[in-house]
Amino acid sequence: MNFFEKRKEGYLLRVRLTPNSSLVKTNGIMEDAKGEAFLKINVISVPEKGKANKELLDFLSKMLDIAKSSIKIISGETDRYKKLMIETDTDLESKLENLLR
């Protein structure tokens, strides 16, 4: 069950975001009704004016050691379930798998 896919332009990452948490952290993997896997991520920010999305991008940028500008939310801007595109030539598979630890 993988929450990311390698694409020619980079990686497609599926995230279920939980705002208003006490810590910023990953919280395992969950599966939606369609059987797609999502990485659960908690952030401290509230879901107002893009604050939670900004904190999500900051967290992923830091954890994957990539520029924030290379991560784009391609769907789910106002939803808990998000799809992000990480535009990179770098192999991130081991770093993405380490997000679960």
Side-chain angles (χ1 to χ4, degrees), residues 69-91:
S69 60
S70 65
I71 307 171
K72 309 266 187 287
I73 298 175
I74 56 173
S75 73
E77 185 87 26
T78 59
D79 192 3
R80 286 178 178 257
Y81 295 92
K82 302 181 184 301
K83 290 186 180 176
L84 298 94
M85 179 56 68
I86 302 172
E87 297 169 347
T88 184
D89 295 336
T90 310
D91 183 12

Side-chain angles (χ1 to χ4, degrees), residues 9-90:
E9 62 272 13
Y11 291 86
L12 175 71
L13 179 65
R14 291 182 298 277
V15 172
R16 183 184 186 278
L17 186 64
T18 303
N20 210 20
S21 296
S22 58
L23 293 171
V24 179
K25 65 176 185 170
T26 58
N27 200 13
I29 296 179
M30 61 139 329
E31 199 172 298
D32 70 357
K34 297 177 197 167
E36 286 188 310
F38 286 79
L39 176 65
K40 297 191 298 184
I41 299 180
N42 298 4
V43 295
I44 297 168
S45 298
V46 293
E48 295 174 357
K49 300 179 184 170
K51 291 177 186 173
N53 287 341
K54 181 183 180 317
E55 189 171 11
L56 169 65
L57 298 181
D58 290 344
F59 173 72
L60 288 173
S61 169
K62 191 177 295 178
M63 295 300 291
L64 299 173
D65 194 29
I66 56 174
K68 281 186 262 189
S69 60
S70 65
I71 307 171
K72 309 266 187 287
I73 298 175
I74 56 173
S75 73
E77 185 87 26
T78 59
D79 192 3
R80 286 178 178 257
Y81 295 92
K82 302 181 184 301
K83 290 186 180 176
L84 298 94
M85 179 56 68
I86 302 172
E87 297 169 347
T88 184
D89 295 336
T90 310

